[in-house]
């Protein structure tokens, strides 16, 4: 993947992203609602090494891409994308931005860039994201770009010592084209 926008580039993670990646992936506020735990430097390095061997297009595999500020080429976040194993025209995504770069519109720009790439170039039929009901920033982001809330799972996931609830959001290619 290589998405170039005015303020951001989205590309594969690289080994020289390590310090910037670890800076936010070691922050418990960032991982609070995610399937990841905080990482130490070694775990972050192993994670990036593992990702550099992956590329878009393998159904069932999460691939993590780097979100880079165009101004200075600095990694400020990442985006995970997975093609469903039994239908690779259906994609799941998740976005993370370093807190120092939140509330600046970078997440929204990145999400719109990824949606355009998936729908227009890759001809994906449907993009979805499952989000913790308490993850208000993520809910706001998804709704700001037009994702539809289509599901509410109640205490469906055992997470951080208790059962949590999730919303499912989705957008279809034909909704994007409207
Ligand atoms: C979810 C997440 C990516 C959202 O990031 P964010 O920084 O809040 O989102 P944005 O960059 O779109 O910022 C939104 C705000 O920035 C404001 N903003 C400031 N400058 C802006 C600019 N130049 N352009 C656009 N918006 C701008 C917007 O007005 C918006 O506020 P509003 O919605 O109240 O109007 C972030 O909270 C995060 O990384 N969370 C932790 C990881 C996580 O849980 N991810 C989801 C599950 S995978």
């Amino acid at each position: 993947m290589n998405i170039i926008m005015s303020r951001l580039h989205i590309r594969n993670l690289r080994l020289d992203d390590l310090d910037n990646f670890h800076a936010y992936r070691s922050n418990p506020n960032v991982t609070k609602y995610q399937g990841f735990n905080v990482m130490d430097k070694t775990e972050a390095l192993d994670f990036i090494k593992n990702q550099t061997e992956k590329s878009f297009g393998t159904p069932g595999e999460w691939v993590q891409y780097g979100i880079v500020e165009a101004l200075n080429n600095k990694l400020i976040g990442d985006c995970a994308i997975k093609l469903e194993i039994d239908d690779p025209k259906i994609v799941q995504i998740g976005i993370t931005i370093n807190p120092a770069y939140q509330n600046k519109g970078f997440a929204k720009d990145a999400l719109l860039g990824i949606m355009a790439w998936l729908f227009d170039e890759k001809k994906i039929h449907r993009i979805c994201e499952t989000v913790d009901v308490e993850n208000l920033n993520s809910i706001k982001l998804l709704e700001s770009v037009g994702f539809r809330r289509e599901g509410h799972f109640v205490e469906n996931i055992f997470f951080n010592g208790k059962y949590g609830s999730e919303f499912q959001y989705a957008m279809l290619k034909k909704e994007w084209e409207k």
Side-chain angles (χ1 to χ4, degrees):
M1 176 197 279
N2 193 20
I3 301 175
I4 298 188
M5 290 172 285
S6 56
R7 295 202 297 163
L8 296 175
H9 296 166
I10 305 176
R11 52 143 175 86
N12 285 73
L13 283 172
R14 299 193 313 227
L15 291 178
D16 62 1
D17 291 324
L18 176 62
D19 287 347
N20 294 324
F21 180 77
H22 179 252
Y24 62 89
R25 283 283 171 186
S26 56
N27 179 341
N29 290 328
V30 168
T31 58
K32 187 171 175 193
Y33 298 116
Q34 303 204 77
F36 294 103
N37 287 323
V38 286
M39 295 178 186
D40 63 24
K41 207 77 173 266
T42 309
E43 289 165 334
L45 178 61
D46 288 346
F47 183 91
I48 294 179
K49 273 186 185 158
N50 181 259
Q51 290 298 316
T52 54
E53 288 158 17
K54 295 184 181 177
S55 58
F56 183 84
T58 307
E61 183 173 83
W62 280 106
V63 186
Q64 208 91 11
Y65 296 98
I67 300 172
V68 175
E69 189 176 12
L71 193 67
N72 52 16
N73 249 332
K74 180 179 171 184
L75 184 88
I76 61 162
D78 54 79
C79 169
I81 299 182
K82 183 178 80 167
L83 277 57
E84 290 291 359
I85 194 150
D86 48 3
D87 186 343
K89 288 287 178 199
I90 298 179
V91 164
Q92 285 194 47
I93 57 168
I95 290 199
T96 301
I97 297 288
N98 181 332
Y101 291 82
Q102 289 182 12
N103 285 310
K104 297 178 191 299
F106 285 127
K108 190 169 178 176
D109 281 3
L111 184 53
L112 285 169
I114 290 159
M115 290 161 76
W117 186 73
L118 288 171
F119 283 133
D120 299 339
E121 266 190 56
K122 298 293 171 188
K123 312 296 180 201
I124 291 300
H125 169 64
R126 169 182 158 90
I127 303 176
C128 38
E129 180 168 334
T130 308
V131 54
D132 192 294
V133 297
E134 293 175 6
N135 192 347
L136 302 183
N137 290 338
S138 193
I139 290 169
K140 201 165 78 170
L141 171 66
L142 290 166
E143 293 185 352
S144 78
V145 297
F147 269 70
R148 188 171 24 79
R149 184 188 294 180
E150 62 178 20
H152 182 184
F153 306 107
V154 179
E155 295 196 13
N156 62 316
I157 181 164
F158 194 80
F159 186 62
N160 286 343
K162 64 179 172 88
Y163 277 101
S165 301
E166 294 178 312
F167 292 130
Q168 169 136 322
Y169 280 88
M171 188 184 291
L172 298 173
K173 187 172 194 297
K174 63 185 174 193
E175 293 170 323
W176 166 255
E177 284 163 354
K178 273 193 203 152

